[in-house]
Amino acid sequence: MTDRSPAPTTPHHAAAPRSVRAAVLTVSDTRTAQTDTSGQFLLAELRAGGHEVVGYAVVRDDALAIRAALTGLLRDATIVITSGGTGITGRDVTIPVVESLITKPLPGFGELFRMLSYREVGGAAMLSRAVGGLAGQTLLFALPGSLNAVRTAWEGLLRDELGHLAFEVARHGQPEQPGGEG
């Protein structure tokens, strides 16, 4: 369980949707849908929170496979959460793909995630390159693959802010992206 303060109650929180369209992508060379504990945790938590799960996939640690899966999920979801491939090994290619899709970074997400992780795993938290931001009209968050890290991000950052994040994205609209996508 992550040590955190209760979510603030603001007019924006009150106006936020109670349910968002969400998708989960697991990046792994070894996991399958049956052995994907991190992805299954996210799916269960999203559903328990009343969110609509509009997509789920497990893809190998390959930039083209990750990009293809994300492109499809971004079309249908308000938020996409990935797990895996965020470390520093040669096979960890999730972050460059995610960063190439992000049009409006949320640097505070990665900073806060590493702060929470530091409390749990000490200096090893620096190995995480977790990131978040907007990819066009969709919120995109890349988490490490371990169940503990996913639980930390979910309970400490995302769970209580999903509706508020979705509200903020839609509140004044987003500028059209180059190439007419937006």
Side-chain angles (χ1 to χ4, degrees), residues 66-116:
I66 296 166
R67 180 175 295 283
L70 282 174
T71 301
L73 294 172
L74 289 169
R75 281 189 208 111
D76 296 328
T78 303
I79 183 170
V80 175
I81 305 171
T82 74
S83 70
T86 65
I88 60 171
T89 74
R91 294 291 298 157
D92 292 325
V93 297
T94 302
I95 296 304
V97 174
V98 168
E99 287 178 336
S100 75
L101 296 169
I102 289 180
T103 54
K104 197 175 279 188
L106 291 171
F109 172 78
E111 295 161 1
L112 287 168
F113 174 77
R114 282 179 283 282
M115 180 196 70
L116 293 173

Side-chain angles (χ1 to χ4, degrees), residues 9 12 15-16 22 42 47 49 60 64 68 85 89 96-97 132 145 156 163-164 173 177:
T9 302
H12 292 170
L42 285 169
R47 289 178 178 126
R60 67 190 186 288
L64 294 176
T89 74
V97 174
H164 181 213
Q177 301 303 311

